[in-house]
Amino acid sequence: KSNEVHIPVGAALDLGGIAKGWTAATIADELAEVGPSLVNIGGDMVGRGAPDGLPGWPVEIEDPFTGDAFTTVYLYDQAISTSGIDYRRWQSADGTQQHHIIDPRTGEPAVTDVLSATVIHPSATTAEAYAKAVMLHGAESGLAWLNEQWHTAGLVFRQDGTAIATSIFIHERNISL
């Protein structure tokens, strides 16, 4: 049948980020019926409305090099997602370090100058997918691509320790795109 998926015995299916984003958005939408909410599922966050007296839900973005807060954004009817190669790592049989962001063109862990990419978008699943796309594009190309997308802001930490962002991210800390 065309609507079936067969998974080989012993294989696993990890819906990871997209499923987390979708779940967070679904819960946030339900909660929004009774008032403002912020839902965090495994780091994928969705804000609906805003707490009293604030322009949105304050969300700190962590500097992956120091663990300190790099900046705070305010989410109002937005989602935020971060993807990175700085976690979910393992050592391959030949001893090299691997990460979980797989380049679909090669089937191997992506070769990228991006350590982590954070994307803000009205859709949680889109934010998650765009963060992965930036990882694959690389810092400069990925942010240039994000600048062309509808209602999207992004922040990238490069592996060399520098941080760069889309024009919307730089100019709008109150992210209500």
Side-chain angles (χ1 to χ4, degrees):
K1 295 179 184 178
S2 63
N3 61 350
E4 292 182 2
V5 175
H6 296 273
I7 300 172
V9 173
L13 182 62
D14 179 3
L15 297 176
I18 299 232
K20 290 187 307 178
W22 179 85
T23 302
T26 300
I27 293 169
D29 290 344
E30 290 290 323
L31 291 172
E33 292 180 14
V34 294
S37 65
L38 179 67
V39 176
N40 178 354
I41 296 184
D44 288 343
M45 301 176 81
V46 178
R48 296 290 183 248
D52 288 339
L54 291 176
W57 291 95
V59 175
E60 288 185 347
I61 298 175
E62 181 180 292
D63 181 326
F65 295 100
T66 66
D68 296 331
F70 179 78
T71 191
T72 300
V73 296
Y74 292 86
L75 298 181
Y76 184 89
D77 292 341
Q78 298 293 316
I80 187 169
S81 180
T82 298
S83 291
I85 62 171
D86 53 334
Y87 60 97
R88 291 183 70 182
R89 297 181 69 86
W90 67 92
Q91 193 170 25
S92 68
D94 68 3
T96 59
Q97 286 288 315
Q98 303 290 329
H99 60 79
H100 73 291
I101 306 295
I102 305 301
D103 187 330
R105 298 167 292 198
T106 65
E108 299 291 328
V111 176
T112 181
D113 65 333
V114 178
L115 180 67
S116 71
T118 298
V119 173
I120 299 168
H121 190 274
S123 163
T125 54
T126 300
E128 178 66 36
Y130 282 7
K132 297 285 190 294
V134 170
M135 297 293 302
L136 296 173
H137 276 286
E140 296 288 338
S141 177
L143 289 180
W145 177 79
L146 274 184
N147 269 324
E148 296 173 0
Q149 305 310 309
W150 173 79
H151 291 306
T152 306
L155 171 68
V156 165
F157 286 93
R158 290 185 183 136
Q159 291 190 49
D160 68 6
T162 59
I164 58 174
T166 60
S167 55
I168 288 176
F169 192 93
I170 291 169
H171 300 295
E172 296 288 333
R173 293 304 160 105
N174 175 17
I175 307 289
S176 55
L177 305 168

